[in-house]
Every structure is written in C-alpha cells, then in structure tokens.
Amino acid sequence: MTRTLALVESPVQLLNALEWAHRYAQGPGRGEDGGPPAARLHGFSIAVLQPLDPVTRAQLAALAALAAAEGVRVTAYDPRGGAGGTRTRALTGLAGLTGLAGLAGLATRVARAPRLLLGDAFSGLIQALLPLSRAAELVVVDDGTATLELAALLREGRPLVRWHRQGRPSAAATRAARRLGPDPHRRLELFSSLAADPPPDALSTANQYAWTRERFGPPEVLPGADLLGSSLVETGVVTLDRYLDTVTGLAAAHQVGRYFAHRREHPDKLRRIAAATGAEIVRPQLPLEIEARRGPVAGTLLSFPSTVVHTLPLVLEGTGVRMKLCAVDADWLTPTASARSLSFLTDVSTSALSRHGLELISPVTA
C-alpha cells in the first residue's frame, strides 16, 4: 500500500477510513479470520484531530483502539484543546500531541504523505492543512450525507461549504475546492456508501462496509422497534418542539423500546425524550454501524433523514432488520434554516428509499 495519512475528526470518518484501508488490503495473504493481516496495512496511519465534545472523543477513543488492533498507527492531535484540563487528554492508550509543536509535526506529516485521505473536506482545520499537501493522490471518505453535497460542489467548482451553513464562504473553502478540483497531475478518489455523482476524472469506489460486516455480528434481533436519534435540532435546522412531538408520537405508534442518541444531542433534550416516551436512552460507544452489527438490535429501526438510512441497510443486509424512514416536512424548519435545508433532506430521503427499498412513514405527533 502506498504510504497513506488519514485526517479524521469524527468516529464515522475514522470508521470509513478503516473501511477504505480494508478495501485496499484485499488480495493474497489475508488472515485466517477473513480480514487483512496487519502487515498489509503497514503504510496506513491515522491522525485524529480531536474535537471538544466529550461524547465524540469517547467514541473516537473506542474506535481508535479497534484500529490499533488492526495494526494501524493512530495518533491524536488536540488543536482545539488549549492547555490543561480534560481537553488535552489523548485517545486512550495512544500518543497525544497538543499545542504548536504537535501541529507543526502534523503539518510535516501532511506535507510528506504520498497519499492523503480526508475525513471531512468541509472542515476548516482540514481545509487549512490541505495546501501543505503535495500528495499525488487524494481520497475523500464519507462524512455522512454531506458527501452528496460535496460531490455536487466539486462538479460545479463552488467553495466547499456545508449545506446548512449561512454567510460568505471562507478563503480556505474556496482554495479547498480548487485543490480537489480537476488536475492532470493528481488523482482524486471518492470512497462512499452513497449514490454520490463524482466530479469528472475522479475515481468512485463503493464502500460496502466489508470490514464492519466481517468483524462484527450478525446481531441478535429483538422484537419491537428502536428509534435512531438526530442532531437536526442541534444544528439549527429543525425546531425542538416539533422534533419532540414527532418522536413522542412515533414511539407510541411503533412501540419503541430504545432511543439511540446521536452523539451531538443535548442531555436536556434526551431527558425530555425519556420522560415523554418511556424509552431507554442509549448512548452508543461506537458508530451506530458497529453498534447495530454487534447487536442486539430491534427488528424495526425508525430514522429521520440521515447517513444511517444509507449505511445501515448495507451493514444489516441479510439479518431481517427493517428500516423505516420518517421524512422532514417544511413546517419543521427553524426560521434560520438555510434555503437548501429542505431540498437536501428530501434528496437524502428519496435516494435512500429508491436504493434500499425503505418504508416511508408519516410523522405522528403526540
């Protein structure tokens, strides 16, 4: 494997970086358990740019331990943490580098990597590091459904700004679009589980979650339904009251026993959901793709438009688990939601329904 450095900031990005490495480690010499031996991943390393959120950091630590068990070198950098306190804690059992010295070392690694893998092309920090790279190969893995928007922006040559962001694009977002744009001397690969239309001359590779499927499960399937939480309230797209009303109605109509919280959901919101529904609130320790595959999992999964309506059908194929999708209506949106919000969420829903044959359910309010 060409020496590859991955820059990731979230558990989903780290998981998809592992899936990419697994995809390229296939071939002769695989281990007896069906997975790639560590020797085949010797050229692959991951730099985790730690976020501030403690729930996300805990998931990253758990997933990084799995990566280390695969023989992957994982190093934590804490560019947002400052000095002292819990913010500077490294991933458990891994080297942690903070401050200017750590960032200088990371910048050197970025500059020297023959292949650079990006977990989030919309990240301001990654966009700031990208101009340092002289890599002949750039790989972008899924950072959720934002990949759909990323592919569209790259095709159109527009600045790389997330769909729910307002305001003028930054200079870094404009430079990143040029850096990932067409170049005869550089190859771009899009590694995705989504039906994303890549820009011209880019390589498109399907992520089938082979590593996750081989390493975990199949899960024990329980009766009833699980409801998968969303961070649409926390990102300012959907009103809290409408979300709570809908969750309460869905829980009653579908006999929901557990609510799997998104890592960004606010504790006060989760307490209100528990009180209104009686459902057990589950805080996953790993990305939901792994949690669901390990099980136990309910035979019916209810979800709002999000990445999991595309990934979980792949992860749970053949297990008998059914997914149902509750679409978002226009009257759910906050006054400050971007004009692109509803069309983006509709695109996420429509593509999942057509690709995976999910059942569309109507919002049920309490």
Side-chain angles (χ1 to χ4, degrees), residues 7 13-14 34 51 98 113 139 154 181 203 225 227 230 258 312 318 330 343 348:
L7 303 178
Q13 295 169 31
L14 203 164
T98 64
V139 181
L154 289 176
L203 173 65
L227 178 54
S230 169
R258 296 183 299 177
L312 289 184
S343 62
V348 170

Side-chain angles (χ1 to χ4, degrees), residues 28-296:
R30 297 173 71 201
E32 292 182 359
D33 62 350
R40 292 188 63 81
L41 299 181
H42 73 277
F44 181 65
S45 61
I46 299 175
V48 177
L49 311 180
Q50 294 230 63
L52 296 178
D53 173 54
V55 175
T56 304
R57 291 166 75 101
Q59 285 194 10
L60 279 166
L63 190 52
L66 295 179
E70 295 288 309
V72 177
R73 175 191 173 196
V74 184
T75 306
Y77 295 85
D78 211 345
R80 304 173 177 89
T86 58
R87 290 181 177 180
T88 60
R89 291 180 185 170
L91 299 181
T92 303
L94 301 171
L97 302 174
T98 64
L100 295 178
L103 287 180
L106 176 60
T108 299
R109 294 182 67 190
V110 170
R112 292 177 176 174
R115 182 195 283 131
L116 188 66
L117 185 148
L118 309 179
D120 181 6
F122 291 110
S123 161
L125 183 55
I126 289 179
Q127 288 179 354
L129 290 167
L130 190 55
L132 302 176
S133 172
R134 297 188 292 271
E137 298 181 46
L138 297 173
V139 181
V140 179
V141 300
D142 281 336
D143 177 37
T145 50
T147 303
L148 299 172
E149 187 79 349
L150 173 66
L153 293 175
L154 289 176
R155 289 195 307 271
E156 299 163 8
R158 294 164 55 196
L160 302 188
V161 180
R162 288 187 184 274
W163 58 273
H164 57 80
R165 298 293 187 189
Q166 305 265 29
R168 185 187 180 105
S170 67
T174 301
R175 287 195 300 268
R178 290 198 297 265
R179 188 72 173 82
L180 295 176
D183 186 329
H185 304 294
R186 183 172 57 246
R187 188 182 78 164
L188 174 67
E189 178 184 356
L190 189 63
F191 182 71
S192 176
S193 62
L194 306 169
D197 186 12
D201 301 324
L203 173 65
S204 179
T205 308
N207 179 6
Q208 299 291 338
Y209 285 94
W211 179 79
T212 300
R213 290 172 59 85
E214 290 181 9
R215 288 295 185 274
F216 307 101
E220 176 189 3
V221 179
L222 304 176
D226 291 332
L227 178 54
L228 310 182
S230 169
S231 64
L232 289 172
V233 172
E234 285 72 15
T235 53
V237 176
V238 168
T239 64
L240 175 60
D241 288 345
R242 183 57 193 268
Y243 184 83
L244 292 175
D245 284 347
T246 303
V247 166
T248 303
L250 289 173
H254 297 273
Q255 293 78 52
V256 168
R258 296 183 299 177
Y259 179 95
F260 281 80
H262 188 281
R263 59 188 173 82
R264 292 177 181 163
E265 288 191 88
H266 196 279
D268 289 341
K269 173 186 165 190
L270 295 176
R271 281 192 285 269
R272 293 179 64 178
I273 290 173
T277 66
E280 176 189 358
I281 304 299
V282 178
R283 280 281 196 181
Q285 297 180 340
L286 290 162
L288 199 53
E289 290 78 9
I290 295 179
E291 293 283 6
R293 185 70 190 175
R294 292 198 307 182

Side-chain angles (χ1 to χ4, degrees), residues 345-363:
L345 293 172
T346 300
D347 290 345
V348 170
S349 300
T350 301
S351 57
L353 291 170
S354 62
R355 289 187 72 205
H356 302 296
L358 307 188
E359 180 182 341
L360 182 65
I361 56 177
S362 301

